[in-house]
């Protein structure tokens, strides 16, 4: 796989990785080995950064869109993230609240959908109104206006 894909799967910024990592394709076995036994450079990158945008958003508990709205466009180090959390600017408070509302709504919809046997769009109209008479499709069509149970 390409180095960009491997870096994304490892959760690190490609530009911060060593040249030996960026300069060649990474096999699936090598990626599994890096995940199982990370070398010192990978552990250090995961610990102190610079971190990719998704990781920055996760650590700040906001969405990646919220980062962009807040003006954070470049990768941040762990120290910069801690400084933002200590400072807690108003945009970060607002984005955290928005992100929490979105997550609560998604959880509510997930919970509501758990009781269903199938999504509504896959059901036939007669399944939603079983008391109605429906036209029987198989076989010859009856004359217009005649309905069967």
């Amino acid at each position: 796989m390409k180095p960009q894909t491997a870096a994304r799967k490892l959760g690190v910024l490609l530009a911060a990785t060593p040249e030996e990592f960026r300069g060649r394709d990474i096999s699936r076995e090598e990626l599994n080995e890096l995940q199982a036994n990370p070398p010192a450079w990978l552990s250090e990158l995961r610990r102190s950064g610079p971190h990719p945008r998704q990781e920055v958003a996760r650590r700040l508990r906001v969405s990646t869109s919220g980062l962009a709205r807040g003006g954070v466009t470049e990768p941040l180090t762990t120290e910069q993230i801690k400084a933002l959390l200590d400072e807690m600017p108003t945009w970060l408070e607002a984005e955290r609240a928005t992100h929490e509302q979105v997550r609560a709504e998604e959880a509510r919809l997930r919970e509501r959908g758990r009781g269903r046997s199938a999504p509504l769009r896959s059901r036939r109209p007669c399944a939603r109104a079983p008391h109605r008479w429906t036209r029987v499709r198989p076989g010859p069509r009856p004359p217009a206006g005649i309905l069967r149970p």
Side-chain angles (χ1 to χ4, degrees):
M1 71 184 67
K2 294 181 180 178
Q4 177 67 39
T5 306
R8 188 172 0 102
K9 289 180 181 276
L10 292 171
V12 295
L13 192 65
L14 180 63
T17 59
E19 182 58 41
E20 64 188 39
F21 181 85
R22 285 182 272 153
R24 62 182 179 82
D25 286 347
I26 308 295
S27 70
R28 177 51 94 175
E29 293 78 27
E30 289 174 315
L31 179 68
N32 290 340
E33 180 63 28
L34 286 171
Q35 288 173 331
N37 302 317
W41 64 266
L42 182 56
S43 297
E44 182 61 28
L45 271 179
R46 286 179 172 168
R47 190 176 321 111
S48 63
H51 302 289
R53 187 174 47 191
Q54 294 83 3
E55 180 66 16
V56 173
R58 187 188 68 76
R59 289 181 181 216
L60 292 175
R61 293 194 314 242
V62 297
S63 66
T64 54
S65 300
L67 282 179
R69 285 190 295 268
V72 178
T73 56
E74 70 281 347
L76 299 179
T77 63
T78 302
E79 291 79 25
Q80 292 170 321
I81 293 171
K82 286 180 182 176
L84 265 177
L85 289 172
D86 291 340
E87 182 183 323
M88 195 58 75
T90 56
W91 70 265
L92 184 56
E93 289 178 13
E95 288 301 331
R96 276 182 150 187
T98 301
H99 188 61
E100 184 57 38
Q101 289 172 352
V102 168
R103 289 178 58 103
E105 179 66 12
E106 288 172 351
R108 186 187 69 79
L109 291 175
R110 247 189 332 270
E111 187 62 36
R112 188 181 92 184
R114 282 202 180 127
R116 292 192 185 140
S117 59
L120 286 178
R121 65 177 164 264
S122 69
R123 293 184 184 172
R124 296 182 319 216
C126 62
R128 285 183 272 175
H131 63 279
R132 294 196 177 183
W133 293 52
T134 58
R135 190 179 297 271
V136 178
R137 292 287 177 168
R141 290 184 73 153
I146 297 178
L147 299 176
R148 296 184 185 166

